[in-house]
Amino acid sequence: MMILGLVRWMQPVHGYDVRRELLSWSADKWANVQPGSIYHALRKLTEEGLLREVATEQVGARPARVTYGITSKGEDEFQGLLRGHWWNLGEVVDPFFAAFSFLPALPRDEASAALRNRARLLRAVNDSLRAAMESGWMKDDKPVHVGWMWQLSIARAEGEIGWCERIADLIDAGVPYLPEDYAEEPAWAQFGTLVAEATWHGGPTPDRPSPDQSSPDQPSSNQSSPDQPSPERSSREQPSPTVDGERT
Amino acid sequence: MMILGLVRWMQPVHGYDVRRELLSWSADKWANVQPGSIYHALRKLTEEGLLREVATEQVGARPARVTYGITSKGEDEFQGLLRGHWWNLGEVVDPFFAAFSFLPALPRDEASAALRNRARLLRAVNDSLRAAMESGWMKDDKPVHVGWMWQLSIARAEGEIGWCERIADLIDAGVPYLPEDYAEEPAWAQFGTLVAEATWHGGPTPDRPSPDQSSPDQPSSNQSSPDQPSPERSSREQPSPTVDGERT
DNA sequence: TTGGAGTTAGTCAATTTTGGTTATTACGCT
DNA sequence: AGCGTAATAACCAAAATTGACTAACTCCAA
């Protein structure tokens, strides 16, 4: 619940304000907050004691609007959540991952074309982000860190562009999808291994390292993972190094 | 609904099979499919005519299991969805984005420490992914494109690592968050601009450009923003431009 | 041979999310 | 003054999602 964060910023607000703000920067896209959920969220947060109702104004015969503020308990919770997201890697969802896992379902030439197209799209987006950052409109009245967020988008996309083209080349080159001996058998046993892809950022749920400290744990010379990635273990217990079950 | 894709792969399956498979590669992490949703999804897809019940076996007194197969309508739908995700950029959600937008809520030194820590974490993850790819266990019995997906993770992360360190440096250097003249005013008018970040890949919902074409639209010379950043509008009417608190 | 640990297959109530709907007022235009 | 459109401020029923739960079977060890 990052609605809480918003209420904290905008202090006394009513639902519609939150909704406007959220929609204004189309947060329904990159967060997952649809306008319909807002009132429910506000009420839920209130009943959890994280928010409190500050006032109930009424203008004319319009629906009365309730304004909310944050409680100190809410402030704590917010700090906690915030730290959690700053210090740990979160689950990213990207549907393209899911789609890519069905690679063998596409004809080779389409796959590589799509990848090259993806690279084009990413470049176009990057260009327009860069253009937007140059063009004064955010030079003076927008906080700097908005630009920084765009740069993150750009940086990630740049990595991805290279990948798209490398992989497209591989596909064009006819690199086989399956390690020879695979014949026909369980054609779908394919992913199975995606496991690790997600397993990695498992770790022992390291929430909130220490809410007010600067360098929370290791002395900066330490390069091995703080508490979670343990870079040497590589492949832990795989569910089964074999093809795991695989009935008919 | 990418459950459909699974059923397509594994042809006659019953819910539990799907569930096992999904859990096995912890798809509940990187997609968003919790085991509880599966049966509902199967039934919904069936009633939409994308799947059909193939049989209803019963073993002993255990709950009868219904096996599903895909219909030709379902096949079409699947192809459509697949193409959609391959040819368009999808909405990525990453909670870190949301968290980062609250940057000014953190003390500078914590922010930069957290970013450097993030870089460390990303590096560690990358190392272990790379290690996993070397170590034979996926050399022979895992399809090649699983490795490719990992490489995508790595490529993106590499971009992000650089960003983390650049930004951490900026923060350490004391670069101000707000463009001077900002004083106090609407401290939260901050993001507002995140708009564009998501608006970008809006476009006119270009679903499936043409399943066999290569270069879909613009001639790559286009450098001004495609349809979106409209760099003039900024902070609208604030309900109350006062200081908004920061109460305890 | 019993007990308990795990597997199989799926259900279900409670919570969440969603997209549309309501009902009033403000504004713009002729 | 009259009319239509947009903004305001929410509500709500329906759909989706969730995590916990059931309940029978299997299989091995004590």
Side-chain angles (χ1 to χ4, degrees), chain B residues 1-247:
Chain B
M1 309 297 186
M2 280 282 165
I3 291 230
L4 206 156
L6 260 189
V7 177
R8 176 173 176 277
W9 272 120
M10 307 170 52
Q11 268 308 316
V13 264
H14 48 102
Y16 194 69
D17 260 347
V18 176
R19 171 212 181 106
R20 270 220 318 279
E21 198 62 15
L22 245 37
L23 281 196
S24 97
W25 65 56
S26 49
D28 46 331
K29 297 275 184 4
W30 53 272
N32 50 352
V33 208
Q34 260 62 30
S37 328
I38 294 176
Y39 296 95
H40 172 66
L42 287 177
R43 271 186 290 262
K44 215 204 60 184
L45 290 175
T46 302
E47 107 191 8
E48 282 175 29
L50 305 180
L51 296 183
R52 63 172 204 285
E53 301 180 5
V54 167
T56 307
E57 314 165 31
Q58 178 117 20
V59 183
R62 239 177 276 174
R65 61 191 195 181
V66 189
T67 48
Y68 296 88
I70 195 166
T71 66
S72 61
K73 189 174 158 200
E75 176 70 21
D76 289 354
E77 178 67 11
F78 172 72
Q79 296 290 337
L81 287 178
L82 193 58
R83 294 313 193 296
H85 286 120
W86 270 81
W87 288 93
N88 312 312
L89 283 54
E91 318 280 0
V92 191
V93 285
D94 197 350
F96 176 68
F97 252 89
F100 186 82
S101 61
F102 288 109
L103 168 63
L106 287 176
R108 265 169 187 282
D109 49 347
E110 182 180 356
S112 93
L115 285 181
R116 295 191 202 284
N117 176 63
R118 186 176 181 81
R120 258 195 307 278
L121 291 178
L122 289 170
R123 257 191 225 101
V125 169
N126 275 6
D127 287 349
S128 79
L129 281 182
R130 271 191 266 257
M133 290 191 327
E134 297 309 316
S135 78
W137 87 286
M138 65 163 292
K139 274 281 181 38
D140 353 279
D141 46 56
K142 292 306 162 184
V144 178
H145 71 286
V146 169
W148 294 350
M149 295 182 64
W150 291 355
Q151 284 178 29
L152 173 53
S153 280
I154 293 177
R156 281 182 183 160
E158 237 146 36
E160 184 158 353
I161 289 170
W163 176 86
C164 284
E165 266 149 12
R166 283 195 307 278
I167 300 300
D169 287 344
L170 289 179
I171 293 177
D172 283 339
V175 174
Y177 293 154
L178 305 172
E180 51 278 2
D181 53 319
Y182 237 59
E184 320 279 321
E185 325 202 31
W188 45 271
Q190 306 214 350
F191 338 151
T193 343
L194 293 184
V195 185
E197 208 289 312
T199 308
W200 59 341
H201 39 30
T205 330
D207 253 337
R208 199 154 36 123
S210 71
D212 47 13
Q213 250 287 31
S214 296
S215 68
D217 26 76
Q218 80 261 59
S220 89
S221 68
N222 177 1
Q223 190 260 43
S224 73
S225 55
D227 65 1
Q228 148 270 116
S230 88
E232 66 292 45
R233 82 107 259 261
S234 59
S235 63
R236 306 107 61 86
E237 73 305 29
Q238 265 67 243
S240 77
T242 69
V243 78
D244 97 338
E246 264 19 25
R247 19 150 353 279

Side-chain angles (χ1 to χ4, degrees), chain A residues 71-144:
Chain A
T71 66
S72 59
K73 189 174 160 200
E75 177 70 21
D76 289 354
E77 178 68 10
F78 173 72
Q79 297 289 339
L81 287 177
L82 194 57
R83 294 312 192 293
H85 285 120
W86 269 80
W87 289 94
N88 313 312
L89 282 56
E91 318 282 359
V92 190
V93 284
D94 197 350
F96 176 68
F97 251 88
F100 186 81
S101 60
F102 288 109
L103 169 62
L106 287 176
R108 266 169 185 281
D109 50 348
E110 182 180 354
S112 91
L115 285 180
R116 294 190 203 283
N117 177 61
R118 186 176 180 81
R120 259 198 306 280
L121 290 178
L122 289 170
R123 261 191 221 100
V125 168
N126 275 7
D127 287 349
S128 79
L129 282 182
R130 271 191 268 258
M133 292 192 326
E134 296 308 316
S135 78
W137 86 287
M138 65 162 293
K139 274 282 178 37
D140 353 282
D141 46 58
K142 291 306 160 184
V144 179

Side-chain angles (χ1 to χ4, degrees), chain A residues 215-234:
Chain A
S215 65
D217 20 77
Q218 78 268 53
S220 91
S221 69
N222 177 1
Q223 192 261 49
S224 76
S225 56
D227 64 1
Q228 161 253 106
S230 79
E232 67 294 45
R233 86 356 43 168
S234 74

